[in-house]
Amino acid sequence: MSRCLYASACLLLVLSLAPGRARAAETSAERPVYDSEPSNEPLSKPVDVARGMKLPDGFKATVFAAEPDVRQPIAITTDERGRLWVAENYTYAEAKLNFDTSLRDRIVCFEDRDQDGRFDKRHVFWDRGQKLTSVEVGFGGVWALCAPQLLFIPDADGDLVPDGEPEVVLDGWNGDLIRHNIVNGLKWGPDGWLYGRQGIQATSLVGRPGAPASQRTQLNCSIWRYHPTRKVFEVVMQGGTNSWGFDYDDHGEMFFINTVIGHLWHVVPGAYSRRMYGTHFNPHLYELLEQTADHFHWDTAEKWQETKKGVSDSTSQAGGGHAHSGLMIYQGDNWPDHYRGLLYAINLHGHRVNCDRLSRRGCGYVGTHEPDFMLTSDPWFRALDLIYGPDGGVYIADWSDVGECHESNGVHRSSGRIYKITYGEPTRPGKLDLRQMGDEQLVSLQLHKNDWYVRQARRLLQERAAEKRDMHAAHAALQAIYRDHSDAGRRLRAMWCLAATGGIDDAWLLKQLGDANEHVRVWAVRLLVDKLPVSPQVSTAFARQAASDKSGLVRVYLASAMQRLALEERWPIAEALAQHGEDRADAELPLMLWYGIEPAVTEDPTRAVALADRTQIPLVRRHLARRITSELDEDPSAVDRLVRLLEVDRPQEYQVEVLSGMTAALEGWRQAPAPPVWKSVGPKLAASSYPDVQRLARELGVVFGDGRAVDSLRKLLTDTDADPAARRNALRVLVDARSQEIGPLLLKLLDDRVLVNEAIRGLAFYDQPDAIKRLLMLYPRLYPQAREQAINTLSSRVAYARALVGALANGKIPAADISAFQARQLFSLGDATIDAALKQHWGEIRRTPEEKLRQMREIKSQLSSTTLKSGDRAAGRALFQQKCANCHTLFGAGGTIGPDLTGGNRANLDYLLENVLDPSAAVAANFRTSIILLTDGRVLTGVVLQSNPRTVTVQTATERMALARGDIDEITPQNLSLMPEGLLNGLTQQQIRDLVAYLSGGSQVPLPAGTKQ
């Protein structure tokens, strides 16, 4: 049946229902679906796709289900009977359409009774959902994420007929952003909690229905968990971009898959990892954890020589692209042992399944690249989830669409497939219903090679314990496994089961801190802080363990556990962990230690100073110095004690760590009260023979009002034999401190080739009428970077800007020199004269949606595949450098303000044009711009990243800057992206063609001769 015919078909499903039960089948009739935009790409036949999949020898792919029986499969899970549950999502939002409120999502259950690898019975369990992203089974019903709610649909007897209306367990998830960043990903963890994920664009306030804001949890991009019997909701870790996959290994170590900024991340409770953009809620994190993998799945630095061979395949060789979905650590029993324990993730743009090997490294883990497991040439393959089942075979849920995760070319709702990948002939497990097993039989399944049985049995035992059944026999059997088995993974299974069923207490867990296996000790730590509050005996034991444990992994989890303790109980643990100098350069431990102790610093600054002195971990010393100094207004005595640490002879590295922390804390402060001891210590440090110590001491001296430091920096400005970088830094420090003597000097420094760029920047901070004339006179002779800085400065004040648009009108400054960022900045000044001149000589700043669509159609009509081939990609690269590289990286070059474009869906013209022409169509709340009016008359446009009583940190299009609160007159938020409209204004048709040809191409090209990089 064709997609168009099917899109209008309406089939009726009839189910057999128990007498007296509401006939859910009558309300679960098949509804018609529609494709919002037809595709010119023919839909591949499922059986052909399965046969065409490239798999290792011995593996085969079959079709478990396909349209019309399954459509839009966004997530899958299984139950204790081996049935496959599918969340079908029809309400996924599109770029060009508003949310269609008439659509409904549904949960469908498939059975394979003869176990031949293809379903033979299908049930529509529930079809009243909207924004459904996930499904999980357990505790007498079905759990469904339908933003803004987590629902529980009761079905105690498991007959696939809901026993009543869905219960709203939690609400408050942001459901406005119903594209790829929505809350998703239900999965039971080994600890008996239900885990889920949240994307970066939506900020949510989650709690029980009716709970006030004070009783809710704020979360952004994160992993979270909910306990089904204790009714507790928690954020586990924060960071990433848009996680759409999660699993844990044989030792219970958890990992999630991600997009754009790296694909693999270790889930350690309390961790803060790097975000694609924006900042975490806590402004005192200072640094973030990086990805666990040691590689990327796209080429971030392709060589231009590859273009001689056509479009480079290096990204394909690296893994296929940046967008990942679904994560499975295989622990089934069908695939050969070589594949067990490896991590598998779907690569959306690469049409494949990537594979990584997890290994211990330092205090944590590293993911190394293994050959891709599966590759398909099917252009419709958009798999989202993969799991293994009771026979060890792996199900892959294929959304089946020709678009990508942003769906900028519409949603094709009538397609969908479930494939199954097996090795050889799988062993058929026979009729399955683990619910019919006794407790001791379920305990015995904890030794099964296929972790599917282990997980299902553990959940069933947890459910029985929650029903207050007698678990003594089960607990005895589990204790026997834990005591007698030699394999740590099997012992951990028993441990998790005991914890989930109430079979152990703190006294027992404390004894396990002495176990020989590091993974057992890790889980003893984790389970001891699973419930709050934590007893004092536990924190005391943790301090002893922190001092003596030889395992870096255990030390990471002790640092993690600190966040579950009272502030005063954290110090002994932090002090012990800080003495492990072997962890000084570790990827996880130093930051986890910092995250644990940071909230306690202001409660006990004396102890914080002592820890800064004694720690063997440089990062901890630097961040302690920064956090202590950030409270200079509140507790100057603590900063004085910190500076006293530098009175005695200290290694250069020690001095740099303390001074750099202090300098970072005072960024944006115009002037700060000097600690009393600085008067004697400062000059000694400024006279140090170590350049870094000398530089940092002078910078601090300026902020502390030390005239000698100012004089020293002024002398450095005029010393043409001094290091150029040192001279530029000296000028920046003096400008940022608003040294009054520097204002008039800036005009003279415009003739200094080393300092001209910094001098032009500095003129924005001082109202110098003569600056306008000098800048306009110098403009033709300036090199490109200095020209850009000159326009930035001339855009900062009304008087300057009027002169700029005057030069624009008389042709002294070409319109093409003014970027869209700078045009928006000029528009934000709110001056009618400037606005009119800008409109006349540069172009419109804002367009109506109709105009944008018309422009998109016009440009698209000029950019056929044939005309794009005639585009000059080298010239396009030069335009990218001018228009885009300030913020975006492509092929390893460019800025990091916006997303890296290398792995993006650049070949999709609709997607590319939408983001260029209408960048504010969907913008996260924490990445919207503000207009900032300063007391000195300047106006800035940027994103407010952090705010505290002393400073506001702002990201503009060109730099990140800290502003003193006293310098800010007003902040006005805007519903706009930092990326402005009008990037294509002023470009000719040929230039647009060149730029798009470069952006949509697959590899780097050389810049035209003479173009400055």
Side-chain angles (χ1 to χ4, degrees), residues 384-551:
L384 297 179
D385 206 358
L386 73 171
I387 58 174
Y388 51 92
D391 66 355
V394 172
Y395 298 99
I396 297 182
D398 180 10
W399 178 266
S400 194
D401 205 334
V402 290
E404 53 102 66
C405 55
H406 299 266
E407 290 297 352
S408 50
N409 68 333
V411 178
H412 303 274
R413 296 183 174 89
S414 56
S415 58
R417 289 90 186 269
I418 307 291
Y419 298 105
K420 192 171 184 182
I421 298 180
T422 53
Y423 182 84
E425 290 299 324
T427 300
R428 300 186 181 185
K431 184 178 180 180
L432 274 174
D433 189 353
L434 303 191
R435 294 185 310 165
Q436 304 305 316
M437 290 185 172
D439 292 352
E440 292 187 56
Q441 289 177 294
L442 293 176
V443 168
S444 69
L445 288 180
Q446 298 307 297
L447 299 176
H448 203 288
K449 183 176 181 180
N450 186 348
D451 210 52
W452 181 88
Y453 289 93
V454 180
R455 299 182 186 199
Q456 297 289 343
R458 180 169 59 240
R459 176 179 55 77
L460 290 172
L461 287 169
Q462 184 182 2
E463 291 176 11
R464 294 177 184 183
E467 295 168 356
K468 306 299 182 184
R469 296 194 193 183
D470 184 355
M471 303 299 292
H472 285 90
H475 289 161
L478 288 166
Q479 284 285 5
I481 292 175
Y482 180 81
R483 181 182 62 250
D484 300 335
H485 213 285
S486 60
D487 178 69
R490 271 54 180 175
R491 295 180 65 214
L492 285 169
R493 293 174 179 182
M495 190 182 202
W496 298 329
C497 250
L498 285 165
T501 58
I504 52 178
D505 57 18
D506 282 4
W508 185 88
L509 286 168
L510 285 168
K511 291 179 182 178
Q512 311 321 307
L513 290 175
D515 195 271
N517 186 274
E518 66 173 347
H519 299 290
V520 172
R521 300 199 302 277
V522 161
W523 274 98
V525 171
R526 296 186 67 168
L527 293 173
L528 280 165
V529 295
D530 194 61
K531 296 180 182 177
L532 298 177
V534 179
S535 72
Q537 292 89 340
V538 169
S539 59
T540 300
F542 282 177
R544 291 195 300 269
Q545 200 77 19
S548 62
D549 205 296
K550 303 299 183 183
S551 166

Side-chain angles (χ1 to χ4, degrees), residues 610-683:
L611 180 58
D613 184 30
R614 294 196 299 269
T615 181
Q616 300 299 306
I617 300 178
L619 177 146
V620 173
R621 178 177 291 114
R622 184 170 65 251
H623 289 347
L624 281 167
R626 182 173 178 177
R627 188 68 182 91
I628 292 165
T629 306
S630 71
E631 299 293 317
L632 180 60
D633 280 346
E634 300 295 325
D635 190 0
S637 63
V639 182
D640 194 62
R641 289 193 296 273
L642 182 68
V643 175
R644 287 184 185 279
L645 298 178
L646 302 173
E647 274 189 308
V648 296
D649 189 30
R650 300 285 187 176
Q652 174 195 0
E653 294 79 9
Y654 181 108
Q655 293 176 326
V656 169
E657 288 152 16
V658 172
L659 291 171
S660 61
M662 295 180 66
T663 302
L666 297 177
E667 183 184 10
W669 291 44
R670 293 278 295 279
Q671 193 165 359
V677 74
W678 183 261
K679 188 173 182 180
S680 59
V681 174

